[in-house]
Amino acid sequence: MNLVAPVTNWAKANGKQLFLSELGAANGAANGAAAVGNLLTYLNNNSGVWIGWTTWNLPPYNVTKPGVYTADGPAM
């Protein structure tokens, strides 16, 4: 189930643009990387509504490798 679809549809219907802050998946989540990937694909496919996003990068939701902020962690 796509949890951002309802607000995406609302924004389309009302001529609004959105920014998603603090997305992430818990470290070690079995479907974490796939869930983040699917969400980013959805946001990209709806770029007329979604103008940007940012990650939450504190434990347990590290997107970058600890101490290496130029390399993707397992959630990406």
Side-chain angles (χ1 to χ4, degrees):
M1 178 180 183
N2 185 330
L3 298 177
V4 296
V7 72
T8 302
N9 294 335
W10 172 87
K12 286 180 182 178
N14 291 282
K16 305 293 181 182
Q17 291 184 307
L18 304 170
F19 180 87
L20 181 62
S21 65
E22 300 181 9
L23 68 90
N27 292 339
N31 65 344
V36 170
N38 290 339
L39 174 60
L40 295 178
T41 297
Y42 181 85
L43 298 178
N44 190 52
N45 289 342
N46 289 279
S47 61
V49 170
W50 292 100
I51 60 172
W53 52 269
T54 188
T55 61
W56 180 251
N57 204 42
L58 293 173
Y61 305 101
N62 295 98
V63 175
T64 57
K65 294 179 181 177
V68 184
Y69 299 106
T70 59
D72 291 340
M76 289 300 282

